[in-house]
Amino acid sequence: MSQIKVAIADDHPLFRTALTQAVLKNVNTAEVLEAENFQELITLVENNPDIELIFLDLHMPGNEGFTGLTLLQNHFPDIAVIMVSSDDQPEIIRKAIYFGASAFIPKSASLTQISTAIATVLEGEVWLPEHTDINVDQQTAAEHQRLAKQLAQLTPQQYTVLASIANGRLNKQIAYDLDIKETTVKKHVSAILVKLEVYNRTQAGLVFQQLMITSNDKTQISA
């Protein structure tokens, strides 16, 4: 395996160290970069366009549910993303894969398991914890995969506008935040509605909310 550049985004230093060890076990020439929050990760990726693999903590600061995963896929579609978390209920693992993650590594995983996951992803395959069945609910899987494709069709700025809509921001507030004209925001909103196949801002915001972790996905958040 030739040298690759990897980013590890996790607010737990010890787990970042474990992931680094696992990466170097598989690719001893790999360059590993670290981020403690999601904004640091975005800065890393923008400054290092040759990053090929990202480890993303499900509950790290700045990342709500699967919004970070879908943002990365929207802005940087060529980068493989591995989700990591101690919040490893089956439905959460399935959602991660439906929304496009290349693997889901529980924080309880051994170094050997982490290494196996990395090797699998580097071969272009999807890795899941043993005994995880992602084919339980085909209808839900299809809905989430469809949403992932729709979000991928948005331009980066349209994605940002959609996230702002979901957070309750008005067009004039979004225009101020992004330093663009309100008419430009309105054009983005119109395009978003078409791509998401919805009729208004409220529906668009509800679509985005599907990326969040719900009480149905877990019993408790432990990461």
Side-chain angles (χ1 to χ4, degrees), residues 14-36:
L14 291 178
F15 197 70
R16 290 203 305 271
T17 298
L19 288 175
T20 298
Q21 291 175 347
V23 169
L24 295 177
K25 180 178 178 180
N26 284 276
V27 189
N28 57 17
T29 59
E31 180 180 353
V32 180
L33 307 174
E34 297 184 10
E36 295 183 358

Side-chain angles (χ1 to χ4, degrees), residues 168-184:
R169 304 290 283 174
L170 302 175
N171 285 353
K172 62 181 180 181
Q173 294 172 318
I174 297 172
Y176 178 82
D177 294 340
L178 301 181
D179 193 24
I180 58 179
K181 294 180 179 179
E182 188 172 350
T183 53
T184 302

Side-chain angles (χ1 to χ4, degrees), residues 149-171:
K149 291 180 180 178
Q150 290 175 326
L151 293 174
Q153 292 174 3
L154 301 178
T155 66
Q157 193 159 64
Q158 287 169 356
Y159 185 100
T160 302
V161 170
L162 175 60
S164 298
I165 291 173
N167 286 329
R169 304 290 283 174
L170 302 175
N171 285 353

Side-chain angles (χ1 to χ4, degrees), residues 96-199:
I97 301 305
Y98 297 157
F99 287 133
S102 296
F104 187 105
I105 300 178
K107 289 193 174 180
S108 59
S110 66
L111 185 60
T112 298
Q113 289 174 314
I114 296 173
S115 296
T116 300
I118 294 171
T120 301
V121 171
L122 291 178
E123 289 297 323
E125 303 294 332
V126 172
W127 185 89
L128 291 169
E130 191 175 5
H131 306 308
T132 301
D133 184 1
I134 64 170
N135 299 311
V136 173
D137 186 341
Q138 291 292 342
Q139 181 177 348
T140 299
E143 290 174 355
H144 288 156
Q145 290 166 348
R146 177 171 172 266
L147 173 56
K149 291 180 180 178
Q150 290 175 326
L151 293 174
Q153 292 174 3
L154 301 178
T155 66
Q157 193 159 64
Q158 287 169 356
Y159 185 100
T160 302
V161 170
L162 175 60
S164 298
I165 291 173
N167 286 329
R169 304 290 283 174
L170 302 175
N171 285 353
K172 62 181 180 181
Q173 294 172 318
I174 297 172
Y176 178 82
D177 294 340
L178 301 181
D179 193 24
I180 58 179
K181 294 180 179 179
E182 188 172 350
T183 53
T184 302
V185 175
K186 291 179 179 178
K187 290 179 181 179
H188 285 321
V189 172
S190 296
I192 290 167
L193 298 183
V194 171
K195 291 179 180 180
L196 296 185
E197 299 179 21
V198 295
Y199 298 103

